[in-house]
Amino acid sequence: MRRIEVDVNGSRHVRHVDERRLLSDFLRHDLGLRGTKVGCEHGVCGACTVLLDGAAVRSCLLLAVQVDGCRVDTVEGLAGPEGLHPLQEALHRHHGLQCGYCTAGILMTAVEMAGEAGPHSVEEIKQRLSGHICRCTGYAGIVAALSEVVGS
Amino acid sequence: MTTVEASAGGGPVLGTRLRRREDGALLTGESRFVADLAVPGALHLALVRSPHALARIVDVDVSGALAMPGVVAAFSGADLRDEWAGPLPCGWPVTAEMKQPAHLPLAVERACYVGDAVAVVVATSEYAAHDAADAVTVTYEPLPAVVDLEQALTDEVVVHPELGTNVAYTWELAPDDAAVDAAFASAAHVVDARYVQQRLIPAAMEPRGVLVVPEPFGGSFTVYSATQIPHILRVMLALTAGVPETDLRVVAPAVGGGFGSKLNVYAEEVLALALARRLRRPVRWIEERTENAQATIQGRGQIQHVELAADAEGKVTAVRVRLTADMGAYLQLVTPGIPLLGAFLYSGVYDVPAYSFRCTSVFTTATPTDAYRGAGRPEATYAIERAMDTLARRVGVAPEEIRRRNFIGPDAFPYTSVAGLVYDSGNYAGALDRCLALAGYDALRAEQQRRRAAGGTRQLGIGISSYFEMCGLAPSRVLASLNYTAGGWEAASVRILPTGKVEVVTGTSPHGQGHETSWAMIVADRLGISPDDVDVIHSDTARAPYGLDTYGSRSLAVGGTAVAMATDRVVDKARRLAAHQLEVAEEDLELAGGVFAVRGSPDRTMALAAVAFEAFTAHDLPDGMEPNLEASCHFDPPNFTFPFGTHLAVVELDTDTGKVSLVAYHAVDDCGVQVNPMIVEGQVHGGVVQGAAQALWEEAAYDTEGNLLSATLMDYLVPSAAEVPSITTASTVTPSPTNVLGVKGVGEAGTIGAAPAVINAVVDALSPFGIEDIAMPASPQRVWRAIEDARRRGTHPTSTAATDDTTTQATSTKET
């Protein structure tokens, strides 16, 4: 067990965790932030994507002990009392989700893109989304939503 | 919960692009899938799975696992043999003689595919359970595997020796073989083709999972499962585990896609229930991705021998199909029935006078197959649409022309097909014309010619598929005639509460399709109220006791219709009550905007909400009327529905590398009346990508020893946004006469139309090489090899080293 101190969505958490505990399990089961989904546990599907100090990472490929002293942002931190995040609104408007299992991960990659110098071309958006698998939508609504918020 | 954009109130709602009410909780992460349900004290299961495709289980030693920290119990198949009241169910014994192997949740004597579960460990954490599973020692006597279908037919290796053969059944639909033979004898043109439908992994993004919670007092259980079929699961769990049905509540919480893979009763669901019963503790199992590839059903797996006979003009005179279907190692819930769902459809949208279909289904030492998006219908459509393109070449006409010469005419409906189906409605030529216009077909052909003349390495291929399908499963009597052991009805209840809010209970069980939004629209439209005032209850057998769940594009055509009919019954009752209190005749009342008004006296009105309150107080009801406004409908459809359309794919094929890029896709679909065109488009988009993925990327590949080579998402190529072109969609609307809504269903249409369109495009690009067919998936290696073989044969056009950089610009437009 190791003691770690992590800032998650702006709240400080101090926990003792097994060295081998995945970041995804730490977030979901230790902190109760189950909005982050686990789809493959081998870093391909992208469902578990979170932001680590602002960069999109796979929480299934990181250990909780690796994020000691870092800031992690998850889907739970996006909507505020005033409503949905603009990217959430855009996905809703463009029917960018069906079963919704991949949505949290896609949102976090999109948030990362929104923080960069833009605008992003449609080709760029598709390339960045290539780290995510959505089995339902065929991606049209997702690409349209991201284009609206981070595109040209 | 964070609220999402308010929906439209008042005004017509049916046919509008109303945003989904499901989205809010999914977007914020508040939705709860099975793996998100936290139950204190829940134990975790991990399964020990066979690494051999076929092996005798000599010994299972769980002592090593029991000694590990956190382990509560561990069992072999033999340990649990007495837990089962029956085997894992197969609900579709297609013939009385069908061979059915014993299939228990844990194998006892033989493991019959890589991934077959042979032991289970129960521990206090997921980590401990998986660690301990590795400490179970299983001694196997490996036996030779049989993966190839045609090799399985030889019975050199028999998967289940007690059955004596690998042939599960043979089934035929051959109304007049003499007529078929005569048609071939006198044919001017014949197509004789062999197509392989590779195995596919459905790969829903949420893996399977189950959580069983024993009630603290009494003997009942709540089963939470990532399933498409909570109602069927409840019945089958009762039969398999021997728990009284009344002691079982099954809940499908948020479910992350299914595509048929969650239309089943799985070993892990039954195991979790039995172990929760045995240990009196909540028990939870969450599937890993590789387990999802190996131990969740796979789709397709057929070899199709398809023959067309045609006259000199290319009019098809007979279709003959000989099918070999891969059952895999066991028969899951509807495994044997999948070929039958295609058996009636091989004549497609064409007026064919003679027909013969025979199917032989065989066991192999691979993961069981079962329903995957389209289930039998994509296979049939692929065969006829590929064969029609070959026929066009034989006759020397364009692919669109061969189709026009054979289409069933728009005035021929209802049309009785040679296979015995009655097609409800259609306008096949209309959809083709619309699609060609949408795609700018003439310009595409001109561009193709320009590139061919220039002789570059990037050639265009254009492929058409005019698909149809049979969905809205299904008339129960027809299912009975096919030996299906359940009905095809769907149930709904509608109640208007004392405050005027409406509760709808449906037997369908959505997992991404947006039923809550669409069903609310149907009810709101009929009552003239806002969809926001309609709540939709589903996927919980305690709250929605009747239902046959969601699969086969049945939910709207059967379940949505039941909702509409129940709504109409509630309105009838409300009208009687309102007429009584307003002292007018029922026929003098009209319902608009949620208010009954007396015709000719617009000031005399009674709002539905007021009627509901009167029904609730029951102070002044007509004589004989029971209190409350509630009605139910159990709708058994009189016929299937038959959606259709034409899809057109454009590929760019690199003749040097064999790489195929899908550069444009145009889909014209007719699913009858559309409740929510936005949801329809979403279904088409997702479906098209899955169908195109079969054509170009996906394959559950096995080695000869029965190892699944594509057991991770690194190896199984589910397309990402980067591979998918812009898809242009449009629709025609030909209402179905078989239900009050005029709807047909759209969940599988895209998948059914897409694979043949894409492969027709690839073959079109390869046609200058004299290539007539390419196996799926049309990988760069396969395409390159086909070109190299053609070059060696000398059947190729002169190739130049010049690179052609022109690419087709795909545009995305949507029109309805």
Side-chain angles (χ1 to χ4, degrees), chain B residues 469-653:
Chain B
E469 61 155 324
M470 166 183 94
C471 67
L473 271 63
S476 297
R477 287 182 186 180
V478 176
L479 292 177
S481 74
L482 296 172
N483 274 11
Y484 187 70
T485 51
W489 49 264
E490 196 47 81
S493 299
V494 174
R495 42 188 181 251
I496 307 180
L497 304 180
T499 59
K501 297 285 183 188
V502 180
E503 276 183 346
V504 178
V505 180
T506 177
T508 65
S509 190
H511 34 283
Q513 297 91 340
H515 293 181
E516 291 178 20
T517 300
S518 297
W519 286 200
M521 291 170 76
I522 291 169
V523 174
D525 181 74
R526 292 178 115 70
L527 298 180
I529 62 175
S530 165
D532 289 346
D533 290 328
V534 183
D535 190 33
V536 179
I537 295 164
H538 59 85
S539 306
D540 178 344
T541 62
R543 299 189 73 199
Y546 290 106
L548 285 173
D549 310 312
T550 288
Y551 53 88
S553 305
R554 70 186 303 274
S555 291
L556 177 58
V558 192
T561 298
V563 167
M565 291 171 71
T567 306
D568 293 347
R569 289 175 187 176
V570 169
V571 170
D572 287 346
K573 181 171 183 181
R575 186 188 304 276
R576 272 201 291 140
L577 176 48
H580 168 75
Q581 295 210 349
L582 290 169
E583 298 180 329
V584 295
E586 284 176 47
E587 51 274 21
D588 289 338
L589 286 179
E590 52 190 10
L591 176 62
V595 177
F596 283 109
V598 180
R599 252 180 267 273
S601 311
D603 53 326
R604 293 183 65 201
T605 63
M606 192 169 178
L608 258 182
V611 180
F613 195 77
E614 290 296 322
F616 166 70
T617 66
H619 291 174
D620 181 18
L621 303 181
D623 288 343
M625 179 179 277
E626 294 176 358
N628 293 316
L629 282 186
E630 180 180 38
S632 296
C633 174
H634 294 241
F635 175 62
D636 201 336
N639 190 6
F640 298 96
T641 57
F642 296 85
F644 62 92
T646 291
H647 289 193
L648 188 148
V650 183
V651 301
E652 190 176 75
L653 187 148

Side-chain angles (χ1 to χ4, degrees), chain B residues 346-385:
Chain B
Y346 281 82
S347 54
V349 289
Y350 309 113
D351 186 25
V352 174
Y355 191 80
S356 173
F357 172 93
R358 279 192 178 75
C359 171
T360 304
S361 292
V362 296
F363 293 108
T364 56
T365 54
T367 300
T369 62
D370 207 317
Y372 169 55
R373 202 168 191 170
R377 292 154 289 166
E379 296 93 314
T381 302
Y382 183 86
I384 183 66
E385 287 305 291

Side-chain angles (χ1 to χ4, degrees), chain B residues 653-687:
Chain B
L653 187 148
D654 187 322
T655 56
D656 273 353
T657 65
K659 186 179 181 208
V660 177
S661 303
L662 187 55
V663 292
Y665 198 97
H666 307 276
V668 173
D669 294 277
D670 192 322
C671 57
V673 171
Q674 300 186 10
V675 172
N676 185 328
M678 178 190 79
I679 289 177
V680 168
E681 278 165 22
Q683 290 291 322
V684 171
H685 279 267

Side-chain angles (χ1 to χ4, degrees), chain B residues 85-87 89 91 223 229-250 265 270 273 333 485-486 489 541 545-549:
Chain B
V223 178
I229 53 163
H231 298 91
I232 295 171
L233 183 59
R234 182 180 184 223
V235 175
M236 294 303 183
L237 285 175
L239 295 174
T240 308
V243 176
E245 198 178 344
T246 45
D247 286 346
L248 286 173
R249 172 188 175 200
V250 178
V265 177
V270 187
L273 174 59
L333 189 61
T485 51
W489 49 264
T541 62
Y546 290 106
L548 285 173
D549 310 312

Side-chain angles (χ1 to χ4, degrees), chain B residues 21-43:
Chain B
R21 60 176 58 188
E22 289 88 346
D23 290 357
L26 293 166
L27 284 161
T28 54
E30 289 165 71
S31 290
R32 285 294 170 258
F33 296 79
V34 169
D36 304 331
L37 301 175
V39 174
L43 299 173

